[in-house]
Amino acid sequence: AQKVTQAQTEISVVEKEDVTLDCVYETRDTTYYLFWYKQPPSGELVFLIRRNSFDEQNEISGRYSWNFQKSTSSFNFTITASQVVDSAVYFCALSDLNAGNNRKLIWGLGTSLAVNP
Amino acid sequence: KAGVTQTPRYLIKTRGQQVTLSCSPISGHRSVSWYQQTPGQGLQFLFEYFSETQRNKGNFPGRFSGRQFSNSRSEMNVSTLELGDSALYLCASSLQDSAYEQYFGPGTRLTVT
């Protein structure tokens, strides 16, 4: 069954520390898409990154980087030199085909990150 | 480009009433999805509409319904409200389907008393 697991419910770090948020997924499909979203205290979810299953290249965007490893079904997210503004709930999501041949988004439960000054 | 808008932003209703929430997607986006978010439950998928047709549905009772208009705007309705329906209701739009990134509105905070 399709599933996304974010084992870390809450993480607390001190500013400037590096932090990695884990995401493990399960799917039967060979073509699927993975996402990370950020939900700051204001509540509005913000799209961070999209990855398709055929592209295992790691990606870096400023202080953010993503490590996609199909062999371990993981799509981990690292924030380097964390800042207080990074405090948010981060969600990992998987898009694959459901029984009706439509794409459906499966969400992890989120990891709440607190960056303390 | 204007983002996803949701109205109203806040709503207080009493048990047994019904409520309608509205969502206007980003221009050009044809897929609209609705989610319920409660503390500890993460994002629970309600349904997805595409070209005025419901394409996907989550595991919610029939009290939860929705529709999409020809201009892609969408509404969701909850009838016979229960205390447990108190939540943040989020609407997201995307170009075609969930293979594409979704853009979220600010949500409607519903409180049922």
Side-chain angles (χ1 to χ4, degrees), chain A residues 33 35 37 39 42-47 50 91 95-96 98 102-105 107-109, chain B residues 35 37 41-43 45 48 55-57 88 90 97-106:
Chain A
Y33 300 84
F35 302 83
Y37 287 84
Q39 187 175 35
S42 60
E44 193 163 333
L45 275 107
V46 176
F47 163 76
R50 168 182 181 261
F91 292 94
S95 168
D96 68 355
N98 66 12
N102 290 317
R103 289 209 159 271
K104 189 173 175 179
L105 209 52
W107 293 82
L109 290 180
Chain B
Y35 296 90
Q37 187 176 30
Q41 291 295 316
L43 286 154
F45 172 72
E48 181 209 357
R55 186 160 65 177
N56 274 307
K57 190 176 188 310
L88 180 66
L90 293 163
D97 59 23
S98 69
Y100 296 83
E101 53 267 35
Q102 295 194 332
Y103 294 89
F104 284 80

Side-chain angles (χ1 to χ4, degrees), chain A residues 36-95:
Chain A
W36 276 95
Y37 287 84
K38 173 183 179 179
Q39 187 175 35
S42 60
E44 193 163 333
L45 275 107
V46 176
F47 163 76
L48 295 177
I49 190 171
R50 168 182 181 261
R51 244 326 171 233
N52 75 55
S53 52
F54 298 109
D55 183 2
E56 284 194 73
Q57 279 198 354
N58 290 332
E59 179 148 343
I60 298 174
S61 176
R63 295 184 297 106
Y64 294 173
S65 62
W66 289 270
N67 183 329
F68 176 28
Q69 291 198 344
K70 283 177 79 170
S71 59
T72 57
S73 297
S74 65
F75 186 42
N76 296 337
F77 173 32
T78 297
I79 302 175
T80 303
S82 60
Q83 300 176 2
V84 172
V85 293
D86 295 327
S87 297
V89 180
Y90 291 86
F91 292 94
C92 180
L94 160 73
S95 168

